[in-house]
Amino acid sequence: MYEVQYDVAAMIVTFSVAVHFFYKKTVNTRMTFVLTALIYLSLASSVFDLITVYTIEHTKEVPVWLNYALNEIYLLMFNAITPVYYMYVIYLNKKTSRMPLHDRLQILIPYAVDTGLILSTPFTHCVFYLDGQRAYRYGNGMAVLYAVSLLYIWASFVRTVQSAKLLHKGQRIISYCYTLACMVAVVMQMVTDRLLIVQFAIAIAVLLIYLSLENPEDYANKLVGAYNDHAFVEMLSMHMRKRRKFTVIGIRIHGLKYITETLGVTSWNQLLKQIAEFLQQTCGKKRVFYLSGSQFAVITASTASANAVIKKIQKRFLTPFQAEDAGISLSVPMCMLSYPDNVKNVDDVLDAIEYFNVAANIGASAGVVYANEETLKNVGRDFQIIQILRRAVAHKQFDVWYQPIYSVEKKRFTSAEALVRLSDEEYGVISPEEFIPLAEKNGMILEIGMYVFREVCSFIKTHQIWEYGIETIDVNLSVVQCMQEKLYETLLAIMDEYGLDYHYISLEITETAAIVSRETLEQNMHQLTSRGMRFFLDDYGTGFSNTATIIEYPFHTIKMDKTIVWSAMENTKAMHALKYSMAMIKAMQMNVIAEGVETQEQADLLETMGCDFFQGYLYSKPVNGADFLRTLGKSLVYA
């Protein structure tokens, strides 16, 4: 007699998982597809295992052909469980949208062997057979089926170990437990074929996978009540795999960032929920995704339906939203792109949304930007430059150039600004105005900044620039660098490594850095100025140009931006602004450097205003290190 109680328990457990899974299931992804197959196979094989137990124990009442057919169906489903789980592990570890050919062959070939053995059994008696007394017997091929199952289980375990870093601790534990449980169950089944324990082990494994690895709530943002960015990527991948045409609307809500400051986080959350609910009512719950911050995305079936949705969204945002009994007016710039007309893969969609909403600066109005060849070309260029940046960071392929700074008092060059340059064989020289923002956005600016600082230290030490009359080299610090609590320790350690006195390098920061990283910057400035280093405020005359900034921080020099210098030559108001700003700075006992000095007329005017230093094309363009030294040599000759 077979002991079927474990099969019954397996059927109950798997049925419970199936009901909960299909009730809660949200996004149809490759992972949910495979898990669905796993649940179906586990449940069906449990049922057929019970059925075949009956047919095997009542072979004389059941026709031989039906007995063979039912046992073959059971074996085909049961032996499909381990390759399907192996497929699940591959997707889980690789995070791929398309499975490579070699992985598909690893899944299909062993199962094809099983299938051939099972289907040929009525003729070969390879896996099982009914003897002359209609007693059920195992054939030699049954050992092959067990071996193939163990092979799949072991392969799943190896994949998990190899990709352990991609999984969180819970996922690794569940994968290991599944492997161990299935191996033990298969071995026990081989030894005691009357104890039907394998199905129960598989049912428990499926339950653990569902609870720990594939939770539908992973695709939802509970705070907002909409699908998250993970679900968005999965949905895009699914549509693209099936070659479905679709249109994406990228939505950025402008005005939300001020809500936290004025009304608090609770109001921010209320508004996000209201917006999500409106979008879901307008487009359907399964089409709305909350990406991050104030960004949403909507997937529609066509351009026509997208245009209809956009009109409804624009109409709704003409009316204020309510939060804390206050009416909040928000603007809603959007972008629209279509697959496969405008974008070819998931990265194209994500890059395009980011480009339209940030790089294209569409937040100034509530208009709609439609994808076209030119804008998508810009997205592609950004992507290529990011790749160039990554190679340059990895292989130290940046150049450091120097622009000399002329001292009005000493009538010669006394300092210079270090400037990073990037070039590529295909793209040529890439402007810092283009690659620096991309480096900041993609987290590479720290490495670039440290590379430039180290190169400047090496240049100063190698060429002993003090012999050329250069007293200091100015190095720019990015906003991200200014946010590093131990920045001063890093900079001092590098200078100590080269044996440099600290006064040979001055540090330039922007007003944005001063605002964003106030306490951290103050600490770093205190540590560095106490050791003789100087700080310059760059680009004064643009942005906020807040007087409080130059009062609060211990700046040694203020650099007047070239735009105000140029404007002063043509505009009376700009002339007064420049004159009185310079007088104020001088009264505070700080030096002034004027950027963008290109004509003698500008230099003469600035000198009458009391400007201390000039930087611009009238004296020298930025040049490489060798040309910089030659320029310094000439200036000393004529000084």
Side-chain angles (χ1 to χ4, degrees), residues 445-458:
I445 195 65
L446 275 177
E447 292 180 79
I448 296 173
M450 287 300 103
Y451 172 79
V452 171
F453 191 84
R454 186 175 289 277
E455 285 294 297
V456 170
C457 289
S458 175

Side-chain angles (χ1 to χ4, degrees), residues 404-407 411-415 469-470 619-620 631-632 635:
I405 298 174
Y406 182 82
S407 168
K411 306 301 181 184
R412 62 178 175 81
F413 296 130
T414 56
S415 62
I470 296 298
Y619 300 95
S620 176
T631 300
L632 294 178
S635 69

Side-chain angles (χ1 to χ4, degrees), residues 315-358:
K315 181 179 179 180
R316 172 62 185 88
F317 276 78
L318 294 175
T319 305
F321 287 82
Q322 295 296 316
E324 300 292 337
D325 298 325
I328 309 297
S329 295
L330 303 169
S331 61
V332 56
M334 291 175 278
C335 65
M336 190 172 83
L337 48 129
S338 299
Y339 172 86
D341 300 331
N342 306 137
V343 291
K344 304 302 179 185
N345 53 53
V346 173
D347 287 336
D348 284 351
V349 177
L350 300 178
D351 290 342
I353 289 177
E354 185 67 19
Y355 174 80
F356 288 131
N357 286 341
V358 180

Side-chain angles (χ1 to χ4, degrees), residues 46 64 88 129 134 161 204 211 226 255 268 270 292-293 357 383 387 409 425 485 595-596 605:
S46 295
V64 173
Y88 185 88
Y129 61 94
R134 288 196 178 186
V161 172
I204 295 300
L211 293 177
W268 160 283
Q270 289 177 358
S292 65
N357 286 341
F383 176 78
Q387 301 309 308
E409 179 186 355
E425 291 183 2
E485 290 186 4
E595 296 180 308
L605 176 64

Side-chain angles (χ1 to χ4, degrees), residues 263-271 324:
L263 298 179
V265 176
T266 302
S267 296
W268 160 283
N269 295 339
Q270 289 177 358
L271 284 171
E324 300 292 337

